[in-house]
Amino acid sequence: AFNLLQLAVQSLLREEALAISALQHLPMGLFPPLFNAAFIGRHAKILKAMRQKLQVLDLRNVHHGFWDGCAEGEDGECISRGCV
């Protein structure tokens, strides 16, 4: 079962044009799971638009699970796996 964050990321990946046009309005908390899912799913247009919108992408302090496809929520539950 998907949670609301997973559904939002999945929807944005399906609607590429919507995702790109909405980037400036997305909450910052949505950027890490969206970036991760777009990277894993090879959504190049979304990634390119995110690089243009972000001045600096600082990944020095991300948790260890960031690149394995699982972003953890506050309760420690995986929130991004299965989004792509």
Side-chain angles (χ1 to χ4, degrees):
F2 289 127
N3 65 29
L4 189 56
L5 181 59
Q6 291 171 319
L7 291 173
V9 169
Q10 187 178 40
S11 177
L12 287 168
L13 293 177
R14 273 196 314 268
E15 300 293 332
E16 196 170 76
L18 174 64
I20 292 169
S21 67
L23 283 176
Q24 64 187 5
H25 304 291
L26 294 179
M28 288 306 295
L30 195 54
F31 271 82
L34 179 60
F35 178 85
N36 194 25
F39 182 80
I40 290 169
R42 298 181 181 179
H43 294 270
K45 290 181 182 177
I46 294 175
L47 289 170
K48 184 176 179 181
M50 289 181 83
R51 293 294 186 194
Q52 290 174 349
K53 296 290 182 188
L54 298 173
Q55 296 298 315
V56 175
L57 181 60
D58 185 0
L59 297 175
R60 292 176 292 182
N61 294 322
V62 296
H63 58 81
H64 293 26
F66 183 83
W67 290 111
D68 70 2
C70 180
E72 291 182 7
E74 292 177 6
D75 60 358
E77 181 180 327
C78 179
I79 58 175
S80 66
R81 185 166 285 138
C83 292
V84 293

